[in-house]
Amino acid sequence: MKKNEIQELKNKSAGELESIVRESGDKLRALRFDLAAGKVKNVNELHHNRKKIARAKTFLRQAQITTEANQK
């Protein structure tokens, strides 16, 4: 991911981040099945997809912590 893509993720709302996590999870699952079947040509795509999920979950958690801190 490039820096501008990471910045775009950071600026998304919680709902958008949750949908990104869900969609990327589905894509990762499909890639794993394709890898087992020998259909995947670019195995780096698995790595990039896992990283995207992790980044989205991190920003989602940061947003959650910020809202909890603001409520106190």
Side-chain angles (χ1 to χ4, degrees):
M1 272 189 141
K2 296 182 180 177
K3 286 185 179 183
N4 60 352
E5 293 172 344
I6 294 171
Q7 191 65 30
E8 288 175 10
L9 268 180
K10 189 181 280 191
N11 294 330
K12 294 202 182 270
S13 69
E16 291 173 326
L17 288 172
E18 288 174 355
S19 68
I20 288 172
V21 169
R22 195 174 320 110
E23 290 169 5
S24 295
D26 292 341
K27 185 176 180 182
L28 182 63
R29 192 173 306 108
L31 282 171
R32 285 182 178 159
F33 280 119
D34 290 344
L35 180 66
K39 296 179 184 177
V40 175
K41 300 283 186 206
N42 185 6
V43 292
N44 286 330
E45 193 173 350
L46 289 160
H47 172 74
H48 292 299
N49 209 335
R50 281 196 317 264
K51 287 287 218 178
K52 185 176 183 178
I53 292 169
R55 284 187 179 109
K57 284 184 175 183
T58 298
F59 293 136
L60 194 61
R61 180 67 179 142
Q62 285 177 348
Q64 182 184 18
I65 289 171
T66 304
T67 55
E68 288 174 0
N70 289 337
Q71 290 178 354
K72 289 183 179 181

